[in-house]
Amino acid sequence: MYADPNNPDADTIAAQQQDPSKKQFAQEICQLDEKIMRALQVPVPEGLAEKLILRQTLASHQVQKRKTRVHLALAASVAIVGGLMLNFMQFSSAYNNLGDYALAHVYHEQGSFANNATSLVTLASLNQKMATFDGNFSQALGKLLFADYCRFDGMKSLHLVYQGKTSPVTVFIVPKNEQLSFSPDFNDKKLFGSSLEFTHSNIIVVADKNESLELWQQKISETVSWLI
């Protein structure tokens, strides 16, 4: 898992299935790997270092209590990111369906994406990542602000953020997994979402009340294709 978190071999996967603590450890390593990659891709806000050092100090006490936690000899900057990840890694085991997990994931990333951002991900770049899931988009669904891999309950998935009418629209491409039951429609007081089921993957859309999920579902169904 240390050498290549995104490509565990068959023995590693089998060990995770047999031992929940190993599975959680693998999820934490993958989440840490993803967060480090994300942290290196964005500008550092003013005063971030002081805030991270404080967060790390508070989190280090909890780390010492975990007997199963392996003490990592990482650089100080990596350890800081690891402290930030502690809270995020806890919610993966609290949900057993796609909808609840998707909402938790979106709320965790809230504030990371601005609906009026000027950055734009090209269709070619998106399809390079979609190739991992044997999928392809024939045309853009809208203005794509962000596209990168993420961990969805420990599964390597694709996290897309589009410009919406009033706030960002999040789309997840998630491999099918028996541990998370399918949620065709879901919502809370602020967000609502829907899931499209395909042969080997599910595509989940999460947006605010001003978006038409039916329109997003239609655009996805008309533009996505699969090799298998």
Side-chain angles (χ1 to χ4, degrees), residues 105-139:
H105 198 130
V106 171
Y107 279 122
H108 179 78
E109 299 290 344
Q110 200 168 44
S112 300
F113 308 105
N115 198 45
N116 58 353
T118 57
S119 60
L120 180 64
V121 180
T122 65
L123 181 61
S125 178
L126 167 60
N127 281 329
Q128 283 181 347
K129 292 180 170 61
M130 275 293 290
T132 302
F133 307 93
D134 294 317
N136 182 82
F137 283 98
S138 60
Q139 61 185 25

Short mmCIF file of all heavy atoms in Angstrom, two decimals, residues 105-139:
data_model
loop_
_atom_site.label_atom_id
_atom_site.label_comp_id
_atom_site.label_asym_id
_atom_site.label_seq_id
_atom_site.Cartn_x
_atom_site.Cartn_y
_atom_site.Cartn_z
N HIS A 105 -19.41 13.17 1.01
CA HIS A 105 -18.22 13.52 0.23
C HIS A 105 -18.31 14.95 -0.27
O HIS A 105 -17.34 15.72 -0.20
CB HIS A 105 -18.08 12.55 -0.95
CG HIS A 105 -16.72 12.52 -1.55
ND1 HIS A 105 -16.04 11.34 -1.77
CD2 HIS A 105 -15.89 13.50 -1.98
CE1 HIS A 105 -14.86 11.62 -2.31
NE2 HIS A 105 -14.76 12.93 -2.45
N VAL A 106 -19.46 15.35 -0.78
CA VAL A 106 -19.64 16.71 -1.30
C VAL A 106 -19.51 17.74 -0.18
O VAL A 106 -18.85 18.77 -0.34
CB VAL A 106 -21.01 16.85 -2.00
CG1 VAL A 106 -21.29 18.32 -2.35
CG2 VAL A 106 -21.04 16.01 -3.28
N TYR A 107 -20.12 17.47 0.97
CA TYR A 107 -20.04 18.41 2.08
C TYR A 107 -18.60 18.54 2.58
O TYR A 107 -18.17 19.63 3.00
CB TYR A 107 -20.96 17.98 3.22
CG TYR A 107 -22.40 18.36 3.01
CD1 TYR A 107 -23.41 17.39 3.00
CD2 TYR A 107 -22.76 19.69 2.79
CE1 TYR A 107 -24.74 17.75 2.79
CE2 TYR A 107 -24.09 20.05 2.59
CZ TYR A 107 -25.06 19.08 2.59
OH TYR A 107 -26.37 19.43 2.37
N HIS A 108 -17.85 17.44 2.55
CA HIS A 108 -16.46 17.50 2.98
C HIS A 108 -15.63 18.41 2.07
O HIS A 108 -14.73 19.11 2.54
CB HIS A 108 -15.84 16.10 3.01
CG HIS A 108 -14.39 16.12 3.43
ND1 HIS A 108 -14.01 16.25 4.73
CD2 HIS A 108 -13.25 16.04 2.69
CE1 HIS A 108 -12.69 16.25 4.80
NE2 HIS A 108 -12.21 16.12 3.58
N GLU A 109 -15.95 18.42 0.78
CA GLU A 109 -15.21 19.24 -0.18
C GLU A 109 -15.79 20.64 -0.33
O GLU A 109 -15.29 21.44 -1.11
CB GLU A 109 -15.21 18.54 -1.55
CG GLU A 109 -14.56 17.17 -1.57
CD GLU A 109 -13.05 17.24 -1.38
OE1 GLU A 109 -12.50 18.34 -1.54
OE2 GLU A 109 -12.45 16.21 -1.05
N GLN A 110 -16.87 20.94 0.41
CA GLN A 110 -17.54 22.24 0.26
C GLN A 110 -16.56 23.37 0.55
O GLN A 110 -15.84 23.37 1.53
CB GLN A 110 -18.73 22.31 1.22
CG GLN A 110 -19.75 23.35 0.86
CD GLN A 110 -21.03 23.18 1.68
OE1 GLN A 110 -20.96 22.97 2.88
NE2 GLN A 110 -22.18 23.24 1.04
N GLY A 111 -16.54 24.36 -0.31
CA GLY A 111 -15.61 25.47 -0.17
C GLY A 111 -14.35 25.30 -0.99
O GLY A 111 -13.60 26.26 -1.20
N SER A 112 -14.10 24.09 -1.49
CA SER A 112 -12.90 23.86 -2.31
C SER A 112 -13.10 24.29 -3.75
O SER A 112 -12.13 24.50 -4.47
CB SER A 112 -12.53 22.36 -2.28
OG SER A 112 -12.27 21.94 -0.96
N PHE A 113 -14.36 24.41 -4.18
CA PHE A 113 -14.65 24.74 -5.57
C PHE A 113 -15.58 25.95 -5.64
O PHE A 113 -16.58 26.01 -4.94
CB PHE A 113 -15.30 23.55 -6.28
CG PHE A 113 -14.53 22.27 -6.14
CD1 PHE A 113 -14.99 21.26 -5.29
CD2 PHE A 113 -13.36 22.06 -6.83
CE1 PHE A 113 -14.28 20.08 -5.14
CE2 PHE A 113 -12.64 20.89 -6.69
CZ PHE A 113 -13.10 19.90 -5.84
N ALA A 114 -15.22 26.91 -6.50
CA ALA A 114 -16.04 28.11 -6.70
C ALA A 114 -16.79 27.98 -8.02
O ALA A 114 -16.22 27.58 -9.05
CB ALA A 114 -15.17 29.35 -6.71
N ASN A 115 -18.07 28.31 -8.00
CA ASN A 115 -18.89 28.17 -9.19
C ASN A 115 -18.46 29.11 -10.32
O ASN A 115 -18.71 28.84 -11.49
CB ASN A 115 -20.36 28.42 -8.85
CG ASN A 115 -21.30 27.87 -9.90
OD1 ASN A 115 -21.14 26.74 -10.37
ND2 ASN A 115 -22.30 28.65 -10.28
N ASN A 116 -17.79 30.20 -9.97
CA ASN A 116 -17.32 31.15 -10.98
C ASN A 116 -15.84 31.01 -11.29
O ASN A 116 -15.21 31.94 -11.79
CB ASN A 116 -17.61 32.58 -10.52
CG ASN A 116 -16.95 32.91 -9.18
OD1 ASN A 116 -16.38 32.03 -8.54
ND2 ASN A 116 -17.04 34.17 -8.77
N ALA A 117 -15.26 29.86 -10.97
CA ALA A 117 -13.84 29.64 -11.23
C ALA A 117 -13.54 29.75 -12.72
O ALA A 117 -14.36 29.40 -13.57
CB ALA A 117 -13.42 28.27 -10.70
N THR A 118 -12.36 30.25 -13.02
CA THR A 118 -11.98 30.45 -14.42
C THR A 118 -11.28 29.22 -15.01
O THR A 118 -11.14 29.13 -16.22
CB THR A 118 -11.05 31.66 -14.56
OG1 THR A 118 -9.90 31.48 -13.71
CG2 THR A 118 -11.78 32.93 -14.13
N SER A 119 -10.84 28.32 -14.16
CA SER A 119 -10.16 27.12 -14.66
C SER A 119 -11.13 26.25 -15.44
O SER A 119 -12.33 26.21 -15.16
CB SER A 119 -9.57 26.32 -13.50
OG SER A 119 -10.58 25.91 -12.61
N LEU A 120 -10.61 25.55 -16.42
CA LEU A 120 -11.46 24.72 -17.27
C LEU A 120 -10.72 23.44 -17.65
O LEU A 120 -9.58 23.49 -18.10
CB LEU A 120 -11.87 25.48 -18.54
CG LEU A 120 -12.76 24.72 -19.53
CD1 LEU A 120 -14.11 24.41 -18.88
CD2 LEU A 120 -12.97 25.54 -20.80
N VAL A 121 -11.36 22.30 -17.44
CA VAL A 121 -10.79 21.00 -17.81
C VAL A 121 -11.32 20.62 -19.18
O VAL A 121 -12.52 20.67 -19.43
CB VAL A 121 -11.16 19.92 -16.77
CG1 VAL A 121 -10.55 18.58 -17.16
CG2 VAL A 121 -10.71 20.33 -15.38
N THR A 122 -10.42 20.26 -20.09
CA THR A 122 -10.84 19.94 -21.46
C THR A 122 -11.48 18.56 -21.52
O THR A 122 -11.29 17.71 -20.65
CB THR A 122 -9.64 19.97 -22.41
OG1 THR A 122 -8.72 18.92 -22.02
CG2 THR A 122 -8.93 21.31 -22.34
N LEU A 123 -12.24 18.34 -22.58
CA LEU A 123 -12.89 17.05 -22.79
C LEU A 123 -11.84 15.95 -22.99
O LEU A 123 -12.01 14.83 -22.51
CB LEU A 123 -13.81 17.12 -24.02
CG LEU A 123 -14.57 15.85 -24.38
CD1 LEU A 123 -15.51 15.43 -23.25
CD2 LEU A 123 -15.36 16.05 -25.67
N ALA A 124 -10.75 16.29 -23.67
CA ALA A 124 -9.68 15.30 -23.89
C ALA A 124 -9.06 14.86 -22.57
O ALA A 124 -8.81 13.67 -22.35
CB ALA A 124 -8.60 15.88 -24.80
N SER A 125 -8.84 15.83 -21.67
CA SER A 125 -8.27 15.49 -20.36
C SER A 125 -9.23 14.64 -19.55
O SER A 125 -8.82 13.69 -18.87
CB SER A 125 -7.93 16.78 -19.61
OG SER A 125 -7.42 16.49 -18.32
N LEU A 126 -10.51 14.96 -19.63
CA LEU A 126 -11.52 14.16 -18.93
C LEU A 126 -11.52 12.73 -19.43
O LEU A 126 -11.54 11.78 -18.65
CB LEU A 126 -12.90 14.79 -19.11
CG LEU A 126 -14.10 13.93 -18.71
CD1 LEU A 126 -14.04 13.56 -17.24
CD2 LEU A 126 -15.40 14.66 -19.02
N ASN A 127 -11.50 12.55 -20.73
CA ASN A 127 -11.58 11.20 -21.30
C ASN A 127 -10.32 10.39 -21.04
O ASN A 127 -10.38 9.15 -21.02
CB ASN A 127 -11.86 11.28 -22.80
CG ASN A 127 -13.33 11.54 -23.08
OD1 ASN A 127 -14.20 11.12 -22.31
ND2 ASN A 127 -13.64 12.24 -24.16
N GLN A 128 -9.18 11.05 -20.82
CA GLN A 128 -7.99 10.32 -20.42
C GLN A 128 -8.22 9.63 -19.07
O GLN A 128 -7.81 8.49 -18.86
CB GLN A 128 -6.80 11.27 -20.32
CG GLN A 128 -6.22 11.66 -21.68
CD GLN A 128 -5.01 12.58 -21.54
OE1 GLN A 128 -4.74 13.12 -20.46
NE2 GLN A 128 -4.29 12.78 -22.61
N LYS A 129 -8.89 10.33 -18.17
CA LYS A 129 -9.18 9.74 -16.86
C LYS A 129 -10.34 8.74 -16.96
O LYS A 129 -10.35 7.72 -16.27
CB LYS A 129 -9.50 10.85 -15.86
CG LYS A 129 -8.30 11.73 -15.51
CD LYS A 129 -8.67 12.81 -14.53
CE LYS A 129 -7.42 13.50 -14.00
NZ LYS A 129 -6.65 14.17 -15.07
N MET A 130 -11.30 9.02 -17.83
CA MET A 130 -12.42 8.09 -18.00
C MET A 130 -11.96 6.75 -18.55
O MET A 130 -12.61 5.72 -18.33
CB MET A 130 -13.46 8.70 -18.94
CG MET A 130 -14.46 9.62 -18.25
SD MET A 130 -15.55 8.75 -17.10
CE MET A 130 -16.58 7.81 -18.25
N ALA A 131 -10.85 6.75 -19.27
CA ALA A 131 -10.33 5.50 -19.84
C ALA A 131 -10.04 4.47 -18.76
O ALA A 131 -10.10 3.26 -18.99
CB ALA A 131 -9.08 5.77 -20.66
N THR A 132 -9.72 4.94 -17.55
CA THR A 132 -9.48 4.02 -16.43
C THR A 132 -10.71 3.17 -16.13
O THR A 132 -10.61 2.04 -15.67
CB THR A 132 -9.09 4.83 -15.17
OG1 THR A 132 -7.93 5.60 -15.45
CG2 THR A 132 -8.81 3.91 -13.99
N PHE A 133 -11.89 3.73 -16.42
CA PHE A 133 -13.14 3.04 -16.15
C PHE A 133 -13.77 2.51 -17.44
O PHE A 133 -14.96 2.17 -17.46
CB PHE A 133 -14.12 4.01 -15.46
CG PHE A 133 -13.53 4.66 -14.24
CD1 PHE A 133 -12.90 5.88 -14.32
CD2 PHE A 133 -13.58 4.02 -13.01
CE1 PHE A 133 -12.33 6.48 -13.19
CE2 PHE A 133 -13.02 4.60 -11.88
CZ PHE A 133 -12.39 5.83 -11.98
N ASP A 134 -12.97 2.46 -18.52
CA ASP A 134 -13.44 1.99 -19.83
C ASP A 134 -14.63 2.81 -20.32
O ASP A 134 -15.56 2.28 -20.95
CB ASP A 134 -13.81 0.50 -19.77
CG ASP A 134 -12.60 -0.37 -19.51
OD1 ASP A 134 -11.55 -0.11 -20.12
OD2 ASP A 134 -12.70 -1.30 -18.69
N GLY A 135 -14.62 4.11 -20.02
CA GLY A 135 -15.70 4.99 -20.43
C GLY A 135 -15.21 6.15 -21.26
O GLY A 135 -14.01 6.44 -21.34
N ASN A 136 -16.15 6.86 -21.88
CA ASN A 136 -15.81 7.99 -22.74
C ASN A 136 -17.02 8.92 -22.87
O ASN A 136 -18.17 8.47 -22.95
CB ASN A 136 -15.41 7.49 -24.14
CG ASN A 136 -15.00 8.62 -25.06
OD1 ASN A 136 -13.88 9.10 -25.02
ND2 ASN A 136 -15.92 9.06 -25.91
N PHE A 137 -16.76 10.23 -22.85
CA PHE A 137 -17.80 11.22 -23.09
C PHE A 137 -17.64 11.75 -24.52
O PHE A 137 -16.57 12.22 -24.89
CB PHE A 137 -17.70 12.37 -22.10
CG PHE A 137 -18.23 12.05 -20.73
CD1 PHE A 137 -17.37 11.67 -19.71
CD2 PHE A 137 -19.59 12.12 -20.47
CE1 PHE A 137 -17.85 11.38 -18.45
CE2 PHE A 137 -20.09 11.82 -19.21
CZ PHE A 137 -19.22 11.44 -18.20
N SER A 138 -18.69 11.69 -25.30
CA SER A 138 -18.62 12.15 -26.69
C SER A 138 -18.60 13.67 -26.79
O SER A 138 -18.11 14.23 -27.76
CB SER A 138 -19.81 11.60 -27.49
OG SER A 138 -21.04 12.04 -26.94
N GLN A 139 -19.15 14.35 -25.79
CA GLN A 139 -19.13 15.81 -25.76
C GLN A 139 -19.22 16.29 -24.32
O GLN A 139 -19.53 15.52 -23.41
CB GLN A 139 -20.28 16.39 -26.57
CG GLN A 139 -21.66 16.00 -26.06
CD GLN A 139 -22.77 16.50 -26.97
OE1 GLN A 139 -22.57 16.72 -28.16
NE2 GLN A 139 -23.95 16.71 -26.41
#
